[in-house]
Structure formats: C-alpha cells, structure tokens
Amino acid sequence: NSLLSRVVAFVASLPAPQSPTSARGALLFASTGCATCHQPVLPLAKGGEARMFTDLLLHDLGPGLADTLPEPGAAASEWRTAPLAGLSDALSRRTGLLHDGRASSVEEAVLWHGGQAERAVRRFQALPRREKEALLAYVGRL
C-alpha cells in the first residue's frame, strides 16, 4: 500500500521523541486506554523499537470524526492511528490536531474521539482534575 509506505517513511523521518519524565502521566495514558491504539513502542523489523505512540492500524472513531474524503478502502469514520511522537512540535506551531486540524488542544482532540475510543474518552472524562492535567501534560510533551 503506497499510502502506508508514505506514512511509515514520514514517521521514520521524525526525530526520536524526548523520553517523557512523567511516570504518572504514562500510567494514566495506559490506564485510560489511550495506549491501546497509541502504543508507546513499536518493534522494528531488524530489532530494536520505535517510540511512536501508534499501532498504525485503522480504527472506527465514530461519526464525529467521519470525513467525506476518508483513506481509500476505509469507512468515513475509520482512521489510521496517528503517531503522537512529535506532538509537542505540532502544539508549539499551533497547526491543529486530528486529521483536519479541528482540535486546538490535546484535550479537545481526545474529546472528539468516539467509536472504538469511546471507553477511553469516558475514562479520561472521569479522571480527577489533577490526574487529567498530568495525562494532558504527558501527551503534550511527546
């Protein structure tokens, strides 16, 4: 698939992300379910690993993120898990998040998720304010 090849080439060209220092944020990232699709580590074919925070798979993210121009072969609400590595750069440049730039913050991007991510969103919403802030800070530093 040429699209997947281009995504892999793009991700491979990104600088390695700084290792986040927030152990609490990393724990919350996993316990809310974010790491189910945004897997922190991917194994490399020749050994080693890449800290990209993706599984590169298609997931149904619900009607809120449906698009009239989806990826070929995918339903309008299906999206390949975007790598979160380099997210801090996107935030600093204020380019917008999600496939169309509609979210201006990590929290807004999380709240747009539906479909297969709905349970993770509900867990995120149920977090006490301080834990939610720790999780958002962790993701914002990727």
Side-chain angles (χ1 to χ4, degrees):
N1 180 327
S2 66
L3 179 60
L4 181 56
S5 298
R6 291 190 306 235
V7 169
V8 170
F10 170 73
V11 169
S13 74
L14 293 173
Q18 299 267 333
S19 180
T21 57
S22 169
R24 183 70 184 143
L27 179 64
L28 291 164
F29 188 77
S31 67
T32 57
C34 300
T36 302
C37 299
H38 292 281
Q39 294 176 9
V41 175
L42 288 178
L44 298 175
K46 296 182 180 180
E49 55 188 35
R51 291 187 50 81
M52 300 310 303
F53 294 85
T54 181
D55 62 6
L56 294 175
L57 299 176
L58 285 173
H59 296 280
D60 182 346
L61 295 179
L65 287 178
D67 200 329
T68 58
L69 297 171
E71 181 175 331
S77 62
E78 288 182 322
W79 294 99
R80 201 165 297 282
T81 306
L84 297 182
L87 183 69
S88 60
D89 184 52
L91 290 168
S92 70
R93 290 184 287 118
R94 299 180 185 200
T95 58
L97 305 177
L98 300 173
H99 67 283
D100 56 4
R102 74 176 75 179
S104 61
S105 69
V106 173
E107 182 168 14
E108 189 177 346
V110 168
L111 296 176
W112 271 107
H113 285 63
Q116 289 176 264
E118 188 64 37
R119 289 177 62 194
V121 172
R122 284 197 307 269
R123 287 184 192 123
F124 170 78
Q125 290 173 312
L127 289 173
R129 184 178 61 74
R130 293 186 76 162
E131 289 191 341
K132 193 179 292 184
E133 289 171 357
L135 174 55
L136 293 171
Y138 170 77
V139 173
R141 286 192 301 267
L142 296 176

PDB file of all heavy atoms in Angstrom, residues 11 20 23 34 40 65 72 76 91 94 115 119 127:
ATOM      1  N   VAL A  11       7.018   8.845   9.327  1.00  0.00           N
ATOM      2  CA  VAL A  11       7.254   8.588  10.746  1.00  0.00           C
ATOM      3  C   VAL A  11       8.736   8.287  10.982  1.00  0.00           C
ATOM      4  O   VAL A  11       9.330   8.760  11.945  1.00  0.00           O
ATOM      5  CB  VAL A  11       6.354   7.442  11.246  1.00  0.00           C
ATOM      6  CG1 VAL A  11       6.766   6.987  12.642  1.00  0.00           C
ATOM      7  CG2 VAL A  11       4.902   7.883  11.251  1.00  0.00           C
ATOM      8  N   PRO A  20       9.444  11.129  27.866  1.00  0.00           N
ATOM      9  CA  PRO A  20       8.654  11.872  28.853  1.00  0.00           C
ATOM     10  C   PRO A  20       9.069  11.493  30.277  1.00  0.00           C
ATOM     11  O   PRO A  20       9.361  10.340  30.557  1.00  0.00           O
ATOM     12  CB  PRO A  20       7.221  11.438  28.569  1.00  0.00           C
ATOM     13  CG  PRO A  20       7.255  10.922  27.173  1.00  0.00           C
ATOM     14  CD  PRO A  20       8.625  10.327  26.989  1.00  0.00           C
ATOM     15  N   ALA A  23       6.067   9.771  35.052  1.00  0.00           N
ATOM     16  CA  ALA A  23       5.646   8.385  35.243  1.00  0.00           C
ATOM     17  C   ALA A  23       4.138   8.318  35.492  1.00  0.00           C
ATOM     18  O   ALA A  23       3.463   7.407  35.012  1.00  0.00           O
ATOM     19  CB  ALA A  23       6.409   7.763  36.403  1.00  0.00           C
ATOM     20  N   CYS A  34      -5.713   4.916  26.320  1.00  0.00           N
ATOM     21  CA  CYS A  34      -5.098   5.626  25.192  1.00  0.00           C
ATOM     22  C   CYS A  34      -4.032   4.774  24.518  1.00  0.00           C
ATOM     23  O   CYS A  34      -3.891   4.778  23.292  1.00  0.00           O
ATOM     24  CB  CYS A  34      -4.484   6.942  25.660  1.00  0.00           C
ATOM     25  SG  CYS A  34      -5.647   8.102  26.397  1.00  0.00           S
ATOM     26  N   PRO A  40       2.876   2.987  22.868  1.00  0.00           N
ATOM     27  CA  PRO A  40       4.116   3.743  23.019  1.00  0.00           C
ATOM     28  C   PRO A  40       5.279   3.217  22.178  1.00  0.00           C
ATOM     29  O   PRO A  40       6.054   3.984  21.640  1.00  0.00           O
ATOM     30  CB  PRO A  40       4.421   3.655  24.512  1.00  0.00           C
ATOM     31  CG  PRO A  40       3.075   3.490  25.141  1.00  0.00           C
ATOM     32  CD  PRO A  40       2.311   2.626  24.177  1.00  0.00           C
ATOM     33  N   LEU A  65     -15.883  12.082  13.812  1.00  0.00           N
ATOM     34  CA  LEU A  65     -14.651  12.256  13.046  1.00  0.00           C
ATOM     35  C   LEU A  65     -14.775  11.747  11.616  1.00  0.00           C
ATOM     36  O   LEU A  65     -13.800  11.691  10.887  1.00  0.00           O
ATOM     37  CB  LEU A  65     -13.477  11.557  13.747  1.00  0.00           C
ATOM     38  CG  LEU A  65     -12.971  12.257  14.997  1.00  0.00           C
ATOM     39  CD1 LEU A  65     -11.852  11.468  15.653  1.00  0.00           C
ATOM     40  CD2 LEU A  65     -12.496  13.661  14.681  1.00  0.00           C
ATOM     41  N   PRO A  72      -8.497   5.634   1.275  1.00  0.00           N
ATOM     42  CA  PRO A  72      -9.032   4.616   0.358  1.00  0.00           C
ATOM     43  C   PRO A  72      -9.161   3.259   1.040  1.00  0.00           C
ATOM     44  O   PRO A  72      -8.254   2.814   1.744  1.00  0.00           O
ATOM     45  CB  PRO A  72      -7.991   4.573  -0.765  1.00  0.00           C
ATOM     46  CG  PRO A  72      -7.348   5.923  -0.730  1.00  0.00           C
ATOM     47  CD  PRO A  72      -7.332   6.314   0.719  1.00  0.00           C
ATOM     48  N   ALA A  76     -15.760   6.075   6.277  1.00  0.00           N
ATOM     49  CA  ALA A  76     -15.601   7.506   6.561  1.00  0.00           C
ATOM     50  C   ALA A  76     -15.179   7.782   7.996  1.00  0.00           C
ATOM     51  O   ALA A  76     -14.509   8.777   8.268  1.00  0.00           O
ATOM     52  CB  ALA A  76     -16.897   8.241   6.245  1.00  0.00           C
ATOM     53  N   LEU A  91       1.947  21.170  18.589  1.00  0.00           N
ATOM     54  CA  LEU A  91       1.304  22.089  19.536  1.00  0.00           C
ATOM     55  C   LEU A  91       2.012  23.440  19.551  1.00  0.00           C
ATOM     56  O   LEU A  91       1.356  24.485  19.581  1.00  0.00           O
ATOM     57  CB  LEU A  91       1.280  21.480  20.940  1.00  0.00           C
ATOM     58  CG  LEU A  91       0.342  20.296  21.129  1.00  0.00           C
ATOM     59  CD1 LEU A  91       0.631  19.597  22.454  1.00  0.00           C
ATOM     60  CD2 LEU A  91      -1.112  20.734  21.033  1.00  0.00           C
ATOM     61  N   ARG A  94       1.035  25.376  16.604  1.00  0.00           N
ATOM     62  CA  ARG A  94      -0.410  25.630  16.551  1.00  0.00           C
ATOM     63  C   ARG A  94      -1.020  25.242  15.202  1.00  0.00           C
ATOM     64  O   ARG A  94      -1.815  25.987  14.625  1.00  0.00           O
ATOM     65  CB  ARG A  94      -0.720  27.080  16.891  1.00  0.00           C
ATOM     66  CG  ARG A  94      -0.272  27.429  18.286  1.00  0.00           C
ATOM     67  CD  ARG A  94      -0.582  28.843  18.627  1.00  0.00           C
ATOM     68  NE  ARG A  94      -0.004  29.112  19.937  1.00  0.00           N
ATOM     69  CZ  ARG A  94      -0.380  30.085  20.696  1.00  0.00           C
ATOM     70  NH1 ARG A  94      -1.315  30.907  20.310  1.00  0.00           N
ATOM     71  NH2 ARG A  94       0.194  30.259  21.866  1.00  0.00           N
ATOM     72  N   GLY A 115     -16.540   6.040  18.783  1.00  0.00           N
ATOM     73  CA  GLY A 115     -16.415   4.681  18.263  1.00  0.00           C
ATOM     74  C   GLY A 115     -15.599   3.800  19.180  1.00  0.00           C
ATOM     75  O   GLY A 115     -15.888   3.682  20.373  1.00  0.00           O
ATOM     76  N   ARG A 119     -14.746   4.295  25.184  1.00  0.00           N
ATOM     77  CA  ARG A 119     -14.482   3.913  26.581  1.00  0.00           C
ATOM     78  C   ARG A 119     -13.288   4.676  27.132  1.00  0.00           C
ATOM     79  O   ARG A 119     -13.292   5.105  28.290  1.00  0.00           O
ATOM     80  CB  ARG A 119     -14.255   2.410  26.689  1.00  0.00           C
ATOM     81  CG  ARG A 119     -15.556   1.634  26.481  1.00  0.00           C
ATOM     82  CD  ARG A 119     -15.362   0.146  26.506  1.00  0.00           C
ATOM     83  NE  ARG A 119     -14.851  -0.292  27.795  1.00  0.00           N
ATOM     84  CZ  ARG A 119     -14.345  -1.489  28.012  1.00  0.00           C
ATOM     85  NH1 ARG A 119     -14.267  -2.374  27.051  1.00  0.00           N
ATOM     86  NH2 ARG A 119     -13.904  -1.814  29.215  1.00  0.00           N
ATOM     87  N   LEU A 127     -11.576  11.203  35.118  1.00  0.00           N
ATOM     88  CA  LEU A 127     -10.386  11.455  35.930  1.00  0.00           C
ATOM     89  C   LEU A 127     -10.561  12.717  36.775  1.00  0.00           C
ATOM     90  O   LEU A 127     -11.136  13.704  36.312  1.00  0.00           O
ATOM     91  CB  LEU A 127      -9.155  11.658  35.047  1.00  0.00           C
ATOM     92  CG  LEU A 127      -8.589  10.451  34.315  1.00  0.00           C
ATOM     93  CD1 LEU A 127      -7.479  10.887  33.362  1.00  0.00           C
ATOM     94  CD2 LEU A 127      -8.074   9.418  35.305  1.00  0.00           C
TER      95      LEU A 127
END
